[in-house]
Amino acid sequence: MIVRPINVLLDPRNTFMSMANRPTWVAPLTILMLLATLTSILTFDKLDVAQAVREQFAAQGRTPDPVLIDRGVTFFQNLRGVVALVTLVSFPLAMMLVAFVFWFAFQLAGREMDYGASVSVTMHSMMPWAVASLLSVPVILSRDSITPREAMSGDVLVSSLGFLAPSDAAPAWAALLSSVDLFSLWTAILLVIGYRTAAKASTATACFVVSFVWLGYVSIKIGWLAL
């Protein structure tokens, strides 16, 4: 139902209860996927590509070459369509994987739940990120350029503690701070409410599973950036 993605932000408890017998997920997935693609394209258009190429050279311990920088800028500009396609294809796969992780975690916690119900809860609980995307659009359009670090960390919209990280902070430290986000907290609350209903779990169990999965995600992200 098209109204559920909106109602879950306003009245999550009753909205998730209405999904108990009729899980749906196409509408929130479509909204999230389109907005994610839009913000990716807009961010890519504002990205300071030359700075990104210079940082790549610096990370490899090489001296930036103006000719190679120009080639890199041209290469990145030609990737605009690829970025949109990759976002459209990868986003639903990523969301299905997240739903599977939660489904599996609640199975381990001894709670029976259909995978379809997990997909429904996951998709609707991600709707705060649709709000974040809508708020990001005017911010992105108002900027002359966006740094590679802002693009990678998602700190274009200042909603996390990422702004506390100094410019020379280690990527892992910056990633940790950016993970403490207003929309992440909102999403986590919706996940707890949703899975408490879908998995017929206690509030404590739902909080534990959601926190465990979130900490696992943050640990993987920090570990990847620390490599």
Side-chain angles (χ1 to χ4, degrees):
M1 296 175 62
I2 192 63
V3 297
R4 281 179 174 174
I6 299 175
N7 286 344
V8 76
L9 300 172
L10 305 175
D11 187 9
R13 182 175 177 276
N14 288 326
T15 302
F16 282 120
M17 288 181 64
S18 72
M19 297 181 200
N21 297 321
R22 191 183 174 188
T24 57
W25 51 268
V26 174
L29 173 60
T30 302
I31 294 170
L32 290 165
M33 186 169 56
L34 293 178
L35 287 174
T37 303
L38 174 63
T39 54
S40 295
I41 293 174
L42 293 177
T43 300
F44 194 88
D45 286 339
K46 296 283 187 174
L47 184 64
D48 188 346
V49 181
Q51 180 62 26
V53 175
R54 292 190 191 96
E55 290 182 1
Q56 185 177 13
F57 272 101
Q60 297 172 353
R62 300 164 58 189
T63 302
D65 185 303
V67 175
L68 293 179
I69 289 177
D70 290 339
R71 290 178 183 175
V73 170
T74 302
F75 174 75
F76 271 95
Q77 290 174 343
N78 292 333
L79 286 179
R80 184 180 290 105
V82 176
V83 170
L85 179 61
V86 169
T87 303
L88 282 172
V89 173
S90 64
F91 189 85
L93 295 177
M95 290 297 97
M96 293 296 180
L97 176 60
V98 172
F100 176 80
V101 170
F102 277 115
W103 173 82
F104 185 69
F106 276 100
Q107 296 297 310
L108 292 179
R111 312 309 305 175
E112 294 294 332
M113 173 179 52
D114 292 336
Y115 175 65
S118 182
V119 174
S120 180
V121 171
T122 296
M123 297 300 180
H124 284 85
S125 296
M126 295 294 172
M127 284 304 296
W129 292 105
V131 178
S133 294
L134 289 173
L135 293 175
S136 296
V137 169
V139 176
I140 295 171
L141 293 176
S142 68
R143 297 281 298 274
D144 293 328
S145 65
I146 293 174
T147 66
R149 176 178 173 178
E150 288 175 322
M152 291 295 293
S153 63
D155 286 336
V156 175
L157 182 65
V158 183
S159 59
S160 72
L161 297 182
F163 71 94
L164 296 176
S167 58
D168 58 346
W173 174 244
L176 176 60
L177 290 176
S178 65
S179 297
V180 184
D181 185 275
L182 171 64
F183 296 99
S184 294
L185 178 60
W186 191 358
T187 297
I189 292 172
L190 292 181
L191 285 168
V192 169
I193 297 173
Y195 279 112
R196 186 179 60 184
T197 301
K200 297 180 176 59
S202 66
T203 300
T205 298
C207 286
F208 174 79
V209 171
V210 170
S211 299
F212 181 80
V213 173
W214 181 80
L215 289 173
Y217 162 73
V218 173
S219 299
I220 292 173
K221 182 171 70 171
I222 293 175
W224 175 264
L225 292 174
L227 293 177

